[in-house]
């Protein structure tokens, strides 16, 4: 068989195999709304692990980590640095949120906010902000998928048909199987992802330079100081890296789909246990970086798109089967996170935006049916945006991480601090988002303050936090007990997962 | 015990974020750049701290 046939066959097997796996849970049994949306709140350690870990390796980390190592050098290390810290944050907040969700039947992050502050308007506001940041993130996965498939099929499958096919498959299995489908496919995706990333990450530097040591010696000769901050950039120095790690570690679990995933855990111990071991998984993040650095030394002339460094190097070195493996792994790294995003966005949209604006009691069955239709609708919207207006949402995407991190004060203090107040939440969130948009759109990111370059989102978070605490202290307390303390009551005897 | 938990929580942040200004030097350790080794080690430090926290919390829960 030729290179092209091998590559296409392997990509096809991975993509269709995952699709079939994703369909199974929904075809085997009729799923209730709760089973569809949060897996019946019954995920043990393994399924929950794959749901949580599945979000680490997305299109961005796969292509972006190697691309940044290729184009920027040392600043890429922030991606390796924030993980361990983010799980430390997760160790505290996820097990606290999960029992509140179980007791009060919450399914989304906006549900939780509405419940904590007893404010319908705040819930709707958080829901709308969430959708604004989730939609472009979904589009990013889709665009990444188009690039990967086109490059790995040697151009036989162009970008747009690849996106259409992949998203049709994703939307179908999400609307049939919900979170159970996402979890089942995440198992496949993570397994081949690890094989591809670690395999190539160890092999390629050694193949070209004899050892890791040799790779870095060659790098130092060709690009002196590449792995010392600010690397190949002007502004991404020490202060930028420190503030960016601060932002991303605190903001990681503020992504609405990750909060929602905590509701799927059987008990809080599952979440605690997984938070302990997830940092080890994060170590694999170093391998795409090694591949990016090797590409920088090996590939001549320089790539126009640094994000293609991983794929370009594999294509330069190996025959078609290897490109098929990377293409399959890359395609799943886009499709599975996109599936989870699609599920969460449709839940937030149907429950918190539509349902709460309409008001009144909407039966669970109606909401469930609607969420499944919204999945299809959102997939079409994301697809249309990627095909016709690929740059329209680029500003929202740039602000995505910084934007969702602004939920940190209202969500975390809301759970743990009984004085947290809804007025403070409104003002803090409003000011935080305003700073994020203002600085990003006017190119003030990184923000020069006192001779340092600070990540603008981190600056916004600090202002937001100060405002939140100050306003909460001034206002009359809303309630006598923090919601976490309240929800712990019926959870005295958690079943061992 | 509260103090111990606080210290375990704060160590990874001090290590990773706090260490960057001191470790950003053109030095090689085991043939790898110092900053990269430091940050990877920071992830292992986070793992160890989380493991101890988890042990403390599980014994606490059983009692």
């Amino acid at each position: 068989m030729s290179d092209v046939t091998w590559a296409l066959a392997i990509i096809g097997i991975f993509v269709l195999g995952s699709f079939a796996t994703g369909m199974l849970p929904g075809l085997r049994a009729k799923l209730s709304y709760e089973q569809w949306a949060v897996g019946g709140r019954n995920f043990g350690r393994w399924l929950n692990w794959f749901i949580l870990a599945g979000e680490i390796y997305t299109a961005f980390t796969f292509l972006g980590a190697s691309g940044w190592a290729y184009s920027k050098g040392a600043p890429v290390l922030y991606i390796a640095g924030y993980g361990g810290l983010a799980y430390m944050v997760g160790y505290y907040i996820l097990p606290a949120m999960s029992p509140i969700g179980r007791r009060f039947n919450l399914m989304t992050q906006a549900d939780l906010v509405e419940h904590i502050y007893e404010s319908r308007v705040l819930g709707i506001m958080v829901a709308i902000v969430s959708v604004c940041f989730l939609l472009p993130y979904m589009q990013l996965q889709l665009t990444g998928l188009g690039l990967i498939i086109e490059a790995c099929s040697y151009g036989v499958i162009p970008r747009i048909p690849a996106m259409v096919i992949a998203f049709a498959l994703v939307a179908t299995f999400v609307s049939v199987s919900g979170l159970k489908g996402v979890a089942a496919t995440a198992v496949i995706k993570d397994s081949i992802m690890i094989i591809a990333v670690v395999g190539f990450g160890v092999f390629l530097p050694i193949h070209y330079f004899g050892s890791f040591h040799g790779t870095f010696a060659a790098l130092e000769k060709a690009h002196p100081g590449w792995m010392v901050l600010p690397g190949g950039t002007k502004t991404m120095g020490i202060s930028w890296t420190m503030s960016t790690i601060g932002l991303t570690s605190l903001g990681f679990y503020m992504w609405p789909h990750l909060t929602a995933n905590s509701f799927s855990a059987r008990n809080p111990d599952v979440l605690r246990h997984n938070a302990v071991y997830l940092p080890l998984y994060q170590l694999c993040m170093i391998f795409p970086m090694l591949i990016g650095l090797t590409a920088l030394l090996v590939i001549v002339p320089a790539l126009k798109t640094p994000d293609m460094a991983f794929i370009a190097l594999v294509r330069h070195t190996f025959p078609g089967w290897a490109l098929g493996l990377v293409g399959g792994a890359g395609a799943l790294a886009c499709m599975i996170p996109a599936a989870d995003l699609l599920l969460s966005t449709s839940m937030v949209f149907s429950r918190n935006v539509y349902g709460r604006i309409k008001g009144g009691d909407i039966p669970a069955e109606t909401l469930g049916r609607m969420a499944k239709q919204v999945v299809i609708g959102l997939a079409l919207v994301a697809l249309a945006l990627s095909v016709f207006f690929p740059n329209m949402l680029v500003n929202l995407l740039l602000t995505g991480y910084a934007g969702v991190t602004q939920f940190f004060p209202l969500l975390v203090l809301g759970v743990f601090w009984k004085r947290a107040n809804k007025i403070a939440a409104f003002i803090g969130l409003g000011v935080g988002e305003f700073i994020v948009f203002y600085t990003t759109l006017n190119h003030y990111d990184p923000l020069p303050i006192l001779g340092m370059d600070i990540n603008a989102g981190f600056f916004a978070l600090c202002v937001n936090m100060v405002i939140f605490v100050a306003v909460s202290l001034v206002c009359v307390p809303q309630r006598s007990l923090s919601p976490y303390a309240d929800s712990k009551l019926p959870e005295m005897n958690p079943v061992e997962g | 015990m509260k103090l111990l938990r606080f210290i375990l929580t704060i160590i990874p942040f001090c290590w990773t974020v706090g260490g960057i200004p001191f470790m950003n030097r053109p030095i090689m350790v085991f043939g790898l750049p110092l900053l990269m080794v430091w940050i990877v080690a920071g992830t292992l430090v986070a793992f160890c701290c989380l493991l101890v926290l988890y042990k403390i919390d599980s014994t606490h829960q059983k009692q």
Side-chain angles (χ1 to χ4, degrees):
Chain A
M1 286 207 290
S2 72
D3 281 347
V4 182
T5 333
W6 268 111
L8 284 179
I10 294 176
I11 296 173
I13 290 171
F14 283 146
V15 170
L16 294 176
S18 306
F19 172 69
T21 317
M23 293 295 284
L24 275 182
L27 293 179
R28 252 195 241 149
K30 199 173 168 341
L31 301 176
S32 73
Y33 184 38
E34 197 176 35
Q35 283 169 331
W36 183 81
V38 287
R41 304 185 198 276
N42 196 27
F43 282 2
R45 283 180 181 174
W46 282 109
L47 273 183
N48 185 263
W49 167 275
F50 281 107
I51 279 279
L52 292 175
E55 289 307 314
I56 305 175
Y57 277 114
T58 65
F60 171 73
T61 39
F62 189 52
L63 300 179
S66 48
W68 269 47
Y70 178 88
S71 62
K72 295 187 167 67
V76 73
L77 289 172
Y78 98 83
I79 300 176
Y82 80 83
L85 309 181
Y87 300 127
M88 185 58 92
V89 175
Y91 181 85
Y92 285 96
I93 60 175
L94 296 188
M97 288 172 181
S98 176
I100 307 177
R102 181 180 297 272
R103 180 159 184 214
F104 298 100
N105 197 26
L106 312 176
M107 294 184 186
T108 64
Q109 189 188 49
D111 279 354
L112 182 66
V113 172
E114 182 177 337
H115 171 76
I116 293 174
Y117 294 97
E118 291 162 356
S119 164
R120 189 172 74 138
V121 181
L122 186 62
I124 295 172
M125 181 169 152
V126 166
I128 292 174
V129 174
S130 308
V131 173
C132 288
F133 291 120
L134 287 169
L135 195 60
Y137 197 38
M138 206 148 67
Q139 193 204 330
L140 171 77
Q141 305 295 337
L142 193 55
T143 313
L145 181 123
L147 285 174
I148 292 174
I149 299 280
E150 187 174 81
C152 291
S153 67
Y154 296 88
V156 172
I157 307 178
R159 209 166 70 74
I160 292 173
M163 294 194 294
V164 173
I165 296 169
F167 246 46
L169 297 179
V170 168
T172 311
F173 90 70
V174 170
S175 66
V176 170
S177 300
L179 196 67
K180 291 188 176 202
V182 177
T185 48
V187 178
I188 303 182
K189 173 220 142 197
D190 274 10
S191 315
I192 66 163
M193 204 60 212
I194 288 289
I195 294 171
V197 165
V198 178
F200 289 116
V202 172
F203 181 85
L204 286 168
I206 294 178
H207 174 70
Y208 282 107
F209 300 100
S211 62
F212 293 136
H213 181 244
T215 312
F216 283 105
L219 182 70
E220 193 54 37
K221 211 177 259 169
H223 302 271
W226 193 251
M227 287 309 277
V228 179
L229 295 167
T233 68
K234 285 202 178 69
T235 50
M236 295 176 164
I238 293 173
S239 46
W240 178 85
T241 309
M242 289 171 75
S243 55
T244 302
I245 293 181
L247 176 86
T248 42
S249 59
L250 298 179
F252 185 72
Y253 279 111
M254 295 304 118
W255 279 103
H257 56 296
L258 298 184
T259 313
N261 288 344
S262 75
F263 296 144
S264 71
R266 183 178 294 162
N267 61 48
D269 182 70
V270 166
L271 295 163
R272 259 184 228 115
H273 179 268
N274 282 345
V276 174
Y277 291 95
L278 280 166
L280 294 181
Y281 198 70
Q282 180 78 10
L283 289 175
C284 299
M285 206 65 99
I286 215 75
F287 294 105
M289 297 177 194
L290 293 174
I291 295 169
L293 294 174
T294 311
L296 178 64
L297 295 168
V298 172
I299 293 179
V300 191
L303 294 168
K304 277 193 202 115
T305 332
D307 288 346
M308 283 288 114
F310 193 138
I311 292 172
L313 185 62
V314 171
R315 192 169 166 170
H316 182 81
T317 317
F318 288 100
W321 62 265
L323 208 57
L325 183 62
V326 171
L332 295 189
C334 299
M335 286 167 70
I336 313 312
D340 197 20
L341 288 164
L342 203 52
L343 176 68
S344 291
T345 318
S346 81
M347 286 296 290
V348 170
F349 188 82
S350 58
R351 269 176 87 87
N352 303 104
V353 180
Y354 170 80
R356 299 310 287 154
I357 287 178
K358 189 161 173 279
D361 263 339
I362 303 174
E365 265 178 39
T366 317
L367 279 176
R369 210 173 326 120
M370 192 183 155
K372 287 174 194 178
Q373 289 158 359
V374 174
V375 165
I376 311 284
L378 281 171
L380 290 175
V381 170
L383 199 56
L385 285 172
S386 323
V387 174
F388 299 113
F389 312 100
N391 295 319
M392 196 172 93
L393 297 182
V394 80
N395 286 330
L396 277 173
L397 190 65
L398 286 174
T399 48
Y401 224 116
V404 292
T405 308
Q406 305 310 318
F407 293 148
F408 189 85
L410 74 94
L411 207 59
V412 175
L413 293 182
V415 170
F416 290 110
W417 190 40
K418 66 180 182 187
R419 284 207 65 137
N421 188 285
K422 71 175 169 196
I423 301 165
F426 272 116
I427 302 177
L429 183 62
V431 172
E433 299 296 357
F434 173 76
I435 299 177
V436 167
F437 275 103
Y438 185 81
T439 50
T440 314
L441 301 189
N442 292 297
H443 305 286
Y444 287 132
D445 185 25
L447 201 61
I449 305 174
L450 304 171
M452 296 184 291
D453 294 303
I454 301 291
N455 184 311
F458 187 73
F459 172 73
L461 177 64
C462 294
V463 175
N464 177 351
M465 187 65 114
V466 170
I467 292 177
F468 186 90
V469 172
V471 176
S472 290
L473 286 173
V474 171
C475 290
V476 184
Q478 259 183 303
R479 47 185 195 217
S480 54
L481 206 61
S482 81
Y484 178 46
D486 193 25
S487 70
K488 271 208 307 204
L489 299 174
E491 279 290 325
M492 291 303 275
N493 204 355
V495 189
E496 185 56 36
Chain B
M1 199 54 107
K2 256 197 165 163
L3 182 70
L4 178 64
R5 295 190 73 214
F6 178 73
I7 293 172
L8 285 170
T9 308
I10 225 70
I11 287 175
F13 287 89
C14 295
W15 178 289
T16 304
V17 179
I20 290 174
F22 306 101
M23 295 299 146
N24 189 39
R25 293 171 200 285
I27 300 171
M28 293 290 187
V29 192
F30 317 118
L32 303 169
L34 177 64
L35 187 64
M36 186 168 137
V37 174
W38 182 259
I39 284 186
V40 170
T43 306
L44 291 173
V45 168
F47 167 66
C48 296
C49 290
L50 279 163
L51 196 61
V52 178
L53 272 173
Y54 182 69
K55 292 278 179 249
I56 295 174
D57 288 349
S58 347
T59 11
H60 191 71
Q61 233 171 26
K62 271 177 199 146
Q63 286 163 359

